[in-house]
Amino acid sequence: MGKSPDIIKDTSETLKPVSGRGITVMQGWYDKNIKACHVTLWDLGETDDNFSDDDAEGVTLSVQVTIFSQEDEVELAREIKSLMKADGFSFEGRNGDDSEPEDGIYMKAQRFSKFYESEE
């Protein structure tokens, strides 16, 4: 296999329309020092897939995309889902609604996966 796929890099590229508007898109988790809306990317791991003759024909990588904001970012979540699906990611699900956060920070997490074929 040649260069290993990078789910964080691919997700960052896919979300360029979001970061291009000044919304921080970064690898990691919630940063209390960022007061504005920000989006975090978290690598959820990989699984070998599409076996033929006991060899995996590729790997599926998963990522969680989480929006942290002082507002309920429903439209941004829809935009992210649409961008990800348009770029070949599969939508795997999202967390339950966090409509009344105790700390005043809304969190919307969505999980996606993408299959990468092995290079011979």
Side-chain angles (χ1 to χ4, degrees), residues 35-51:
K35 301 301 180 197
C37 174
H38 59 286
V39 177
T40 63
L41 312 177
W42 191 263
D43 185 338
L44 296 175
E46 65 181 62
T47 56
D48 288 340
D49 276 324
N50 292 356
F51 285 86

Side-chain angles (χ1 to χ4, degrees), residues 35-76:
K35 301 301 180 197
C37 174
H38 59 286
V39 177
T40 63
L41 312 177
W42 191 263
D43 185 338
L44 296 175
E46 65 181 62
T47 56
D48 288 340
D49 276 324
N50 292 356
F51 285 86
S52 125
D53 296 326
D54 293 328
D55 290 323
E57 294 181 1
V59 63
T60 298
L61 300 180
S62 299
V63 64
Q64 180 167 303
V65 179
T66 308
I67 303 166
F68 292 100
S69 180
Q70 294 178 3
E71 297 177 23
D72 195 7
E73 297 286 351
V74 175
E75 289 304 316
L76 179 57

Side-chain angles (χ1 to χ4, degrees), residues 69-95:
S69 180
Q70 294 178 3
E71 297 177 23
D72 195 7
E73 297 286 351
V74 175
E75 289 304 316
L76 179 57
R78 286 186 184 133
E79 178 187 6
I80 287 171
K81 182 178 178 182
S82 177
L83 289 168
M84 295 290 283
K85 289 175 71 175
D87 200 28
F89 287 84
S90 297
F91 178 69
E92 301 295 332
R94 68 171 184 83
N95 69 314

Side-chain angles (χ1 to χ4, degrees), residues 103-119:
D103 60 2
I105 301 298
Y106 289 88
M107 179 184 111
K108 285 210 171 312
Q110 301 178 92
R111 290 168 299 287
F112 301 90
S113 64
K114 190 169 188 178
F115 177 75
Y116 298 85
E117 282 189 34
S118 296
E119 297 174 7

